[in-house]
Amino acid sequence: MNILILGSGGREHTFAWKITQSPLCKSLYVAPGNSGTAQIATNVNISVTDFEAIKSLVLEKGIEMVVVGPEDPLVQGIHDYFLNDEALKHIAVIGPEKAAAELEGSKEFAKEFMYRHNIPTAAYQSFNALNVEEGYAFLETLSPPYVLKADGLAAGKGVLILNDLQEAKTELKNMLVDAKFGDASSKVVIEEFLDGIELSCFVLTDGKNYKILPTAKDYKRIGEGDTGLNTGGMGAVSPVPFATSEFLNKIEERIVKPTISGLQKDNLPYKGFVFIGLIKVGDDPKVIEYNVRMGDPETEVVLPRLKNDLVEIFQAIANQTLDNIDINIDERTATTVMLVSGGYPEAYGKGKEISGLEAITGSIPFHAGAKLENGKIVTSGGRVMAITSFGNDYEEALKKSYQNIEKLHFDKMYYRKDIGFDL
Ligand code: AMP
Ligand code: GLY
């Protein structure tokens, strides 16, 4: 069948890499794609939220399956758009419908969902511009650090963790009254600070059945030792060594099962990936957030470990027969290290030529913010490329990633040399 992937990051290159290995895939299109997807599929330069243009492409190319990479089109209702269109409604869309995508689109919605279904998470209250004074009073009842979250999508920047009460009050006002994150902060969730180590769990669901994919841990801060500004993710490891089978069992019983049954009880139609951000507090998992898509760079370590035909899994999701699939996972560890443009996540340059790719052996370079220009591969974003490797443990896998990175170059290339430092 002909398949379309929406997105342009390392996640989407990894999807493309995996999907082109399937005998079920005839032609693969990626919109808009990057230099990595251009080598194995056909890139089409349309935006992931231009539903009309996506419709034209789907009809013109006889596309039968659409795999949605990022959250924006899901939160804007791309799945519903397909279902409500006579010409598109038979096409498989991998990603939840709009009502369910609110699990990522609204922090308050996600917290209410967790409370309703007894899913362990941090205590919270939410506020808007009309009751900002109550927000100040609530902050006074908490002990630092204070966690403030813009309700809506804020490109990964909407969470503030502050040590000072006065600063927390000021930021609350900035968000609610002065629209620090625009509409996204017209509501703010204030929650209890959870102290522990983070990991993520990825679940496939067809709305009735679920399958759990390997865990992964990503490294979000720009600086070594987890310091400095938040990024989209600087590297990842799968599996997570501290996620023992006992701990994984707690995640499944206390979090995955009530999440999937909660979606059904609340009539939230879901065919896709559920990304559950977790924190291990003592020996117990608590949910920090839901995302309604795969993580990036977590995809770059999770999908390479999946031995199944991914298209067959997606078909089972579309047909609600996921219970018939046995998931097979490579026992080895996968790691990825992200190469970024100097300056990221603040201002950075673009259009720098990337050299050395042909010398890579024993790792897979997944392209992210990189594009083809006059036959050359040049940088086009902050996160440029994720170098994934396998090993018998994370140290062995990381060694390969770092050895291959030595062969790569672009002007002001930066990466963290300490991925896995805390494991
Ligand atoms: P989120 O966008 O909700 O994933 O939050 C971004 C980051 O903030 C998370 O990856 C955590 O590192 C941190 N964080 C969010 N909520 C909490 C919390 N309740 N306690 C401690 N850290 C948190
Ligand atoms: N790496 C975190 C995310 O994809 O949200």
Side-chain angles (χ1 to χ4, degrees), residues 11 218 220 232-233 275 289 291 293-298 383:
R11 167 181 52 211
D218 90 337
K220 287 204 178 91
F275 164 164
E289 63 166 351
N291 294 308
R293 51 173 174 84
M294 276 301 286
D296 192 352
E298 293 90 332
R383 293 195 297 165

Side-chain angles (χ1 to χ4, degrees), residues 354-393:
I354 303 165
S355 63
L357 280 164
E358 67 294 334
I360 289 188
T361 49
S363 296
I364 316 166
F366 289 118
H367 299 212
K371 66 173 185 184
L372 272 176
E373 204 174 69
N374 305 323
K376 289 180 176 155
I377 297 176
V378 301
T379 66
S380 63
R383 293 195 297 165
V384 172
M385 200 162 286
I387 310 300
T388 294
S389 314
F390 278 108
N392 289 315
D393 52 34

Side-chain angles (χ1 to χ4, degrees), residues 64-77:
E64 290 167 274
M65 178 182 284
V66 178
V67 180
V68 186
E71 63 278 14
D72 271 332
L74 294 166
V75 173
Q76 290 182 31

Side-chain angles (χ1 to χ4, degrees), residues 74-263:
L74 294 166
V75 173
Q76 290 182 31
I78 192 162
H79 198 149
D80 312 59
Y81 177 86
F82 272 67
L83 289 173
N84 292 330
D85 189 303
E86 276 307 312
L88 300 177
K89 67 180 188 193
H90 65 285
I91 292 163
V93 177
I94 304 304
E97 289 176 44
K98 189 176 189 331
E102 278 298 278
L103 282 178
E104 179 164 359
S106 163
K107 301 271 187 206
E108 185 185 42
F109 180 90
K111 296 298 283 193
E112 286 172 352
F113 177 88
M114 289 184 253
Y115 266 73
R116 194 157 57 241
H117 301 293
N118 282 315
I119 296 166
T121 187
Y124 80 105
Q125 282 191 32
S126 59
F127 301 93
N128 57 47
L130 298 176
N131 64 359
V132 62
E133 297 289 335
E134 289 168 42
Y136 299 153
F138 182 60
L139 283 169
E140 283 168 12
T141 68
L142 300 174
S143 40
Y146 305 94
V147 183
L148 271 53
K149 299 186 173 183
D151 179 63
L153 293 183
K157 298 192 171 73
V159 176
L160 301 179
I161 299 183
L162 305 160
N163 283 311
D164 179 69
L165 177 63
Q166 198 47 49
E167 200 186 341
K169 288 182 180 175
T170 305
E171 286 294 355
L172 182 64
K173 176 175 169 291
N174 290 345
M175 287 164 97
L176 290 176
V177 183
D178 305 328
K180 176 168 182 154
F181 300 107
D183 248 9
S185 64
S186 62
K187 274 191 224 165
V188 170
V189 168
I190 300 179
E191 60 178 52
E192 166 201 10
F193 179 80
L194 299 175
D195 199 6
I197 187 161
E198 287 178 55
L199 74 160
S200 297
C201 161
F202 301 92
V203 182
L204 289 160
T205 184
D206 59 11
K208 291 198 299 205
N209 310 287
Y210 70 86
K211 297 284 169 180
I212 300 183
L213 292 171
T215 53
K217 181 171 194 333
D218 90 337
Y219 291 80
K220 287 204 178 91
R221 303 293 197 94
I222 189 71
E224 284 166 13
D226 282 343
T227 55
L229 293 172
N230 249 326
T231 71
M234 297 294 293
V237 173
S238 175
V240 180
F242 62 81
T244 59
S245 59
E246 192 191 346
F247 188 67
L248 292 175
N249 194 44
K250 285 182 188 170
I251 295 174
E252 179 163 12
E253 293 303 319
R254 297 178 192 176
I255 294 168
V256 176
K257 285 185 181 170
T259 296
I260 302 302
S261 66
L263 291 170

